[in-house]
Amino acid sequence: MPDPTWSALQKSAAIIPKIGGALSIVACSLLIRDVAMKWKENRSIPFPTLMIFAIAIPTLIQSFFQDFMTTWMVPDATHNQYQYHQYQAAYLAAGTTASCTFQGFVSLTCIMLAGLYYTELAIVYWGTVRHGWTETKMKQTGFRVAFFLPPVVVSLGLTVPPLFYELYNFSGLSICQFMPYPMDCAWDDEVPCLRGNTEATVIFFYLFVGFGALYNVTIVVF
């Protein structure tokens, strides 16, 4: 089967995010380095700075595996499914099903982690301004565990189960994410799902949207 003719949209979707991804990687790396140097020098680090540090780590990982790698992690076998949909093939695809699954899982986990830590950062600022939370209070082990552990548990609790349903697949343009494969099977009964299924996709989709709405509302409120 001949290679598809790549459109300007497909090419730009695969290449342009690499620029933003590279810039994000540099910015996050500098922030992480700054906090690490303070740790090394035994300097006091304010709790909000630690929260920003916690945001920077998943953002760095996501920027690399999703924004910079883009279609390099998409299975080049997607070319064989080109008959289903014009965007079922990926420009510069060079990965495997395993790399695609890894990209989707890691990217979604990091997005959720960063979002939840952003939410908690808003709560920290609210607690500091409205209730006078002091740095002494925020240095307590129980306080820090209560802020750093839940986002990890919630994120993994939502992103691990889709692995068992094979729901991390090529999304149609540049990356692998939460999507059945081929994506046409989500709305066309005549196209069989080779990986994932519509029912599981809908259930997890509403779970992710629900949590996303929840922490966005929390950020606005606090």
Side-chain angles (χ1 to χ4, degrees), residues 14-160:
I15 296 174
I16 292 178
K18 297 181 186 297
I19 300 173
L23 293 174
S24 179
I25 290 170
V26 172
C28 291
S29 297
L30 291 174
L31 193 155
I32 292 171
R33 176 183 178 276
D34 180 65
V35 175
M37 291 296 292
K38 290 180 179 178
W39 257 327
K40 184 177 180 181
E41 297 169 2
N42 293 320
R43 293 168 59 186
S44 177
I45 304 173
F47 187 71
T49 301
L50 292 178
M51 294 297 299
I52 296 173
F53 176 78
I55 293 170
I57 293 175
T59 302
L60 170 64
I61 297 172
Q62 179 216 340
S63 297
F64 178 75
F65 286 109
Q66 175 179 295
D67 301 327
F68 184 75
M69 295 299 289
T70 61
T71 56
W72 285 338
M73 300 191 76
V74 175
D76 53 12
T78 53
H79 292 252
N80 297 327
Q81 302 298 330
Y82 185 67
Q83 68 270 24
Y84 287 130
H85 194 281
Q86 62 171 329
Y87 290 139
Q88 200 61 59
Y91 181 64
L92 298 180
T96 63
T97 298
S99 67
C100 184
T101 299
F102 180 80
Q103 182 187 52
F105 168 71
V106 169
S107 297
L108 186 57
T109 301
C110 289
I111 289 172
M112 292 204 64
L113 268 176
L116 289 170
Y117 281 132
Y118 266 120
T119 304
E120 292 189 336
L121 181 61
I123 295 174
V124 167
Y125 285 133
W126 171 78
T128 302
V129 174
R130 291 293 300 274
H131 297 281
W133 290 358
T134 63
E135 192 60 36
T136 301
K137 175 183 178 67
M138 291 185 281
K139 282 184 177 180
Q140 295 175 1
T141 301
F143 184 93
R144 296 194 170 189
V145 169
F147 271 83
F148 285 116
L149 184 59
V152 176
V153 175
V154 171
S155 297
L156 291 177
L158 288 174
T159 59
V160 169

Side-chain angles (χ1 to χ4, degrees), residues 165 167 178 197-209:
Y165 293 91
L167 284 174
F178 191 76
N197 61 75
T198 306
E199 292 78 11
T201 301
V202 171
I203 292 173
F204 285 109
F205 172 78
Y206 281 113
L207 284 174
F208 291 131
V209 170

Side-chain angles (χ1 to χ4, degrees), residues 176-213:
C176 298
Q177 54 183 211
F178 191 76
M179 179 76 67
Y181 179 82
M183 60 183 179
D184 298 60
C185 75
W187 57 79
D188 189 344
D189 293 336
E190 295 184 0
V191 178
C193 289
L194 303 180
R195 285 175 53 84
N197 61 75
T198 306
E199 292 78 11
T201 301
V202 171
I203 292 173
F204 285 109
F205 172 78
Y206 281 113
L207 284 174
F208 291 131
V209 170
F211 271 91

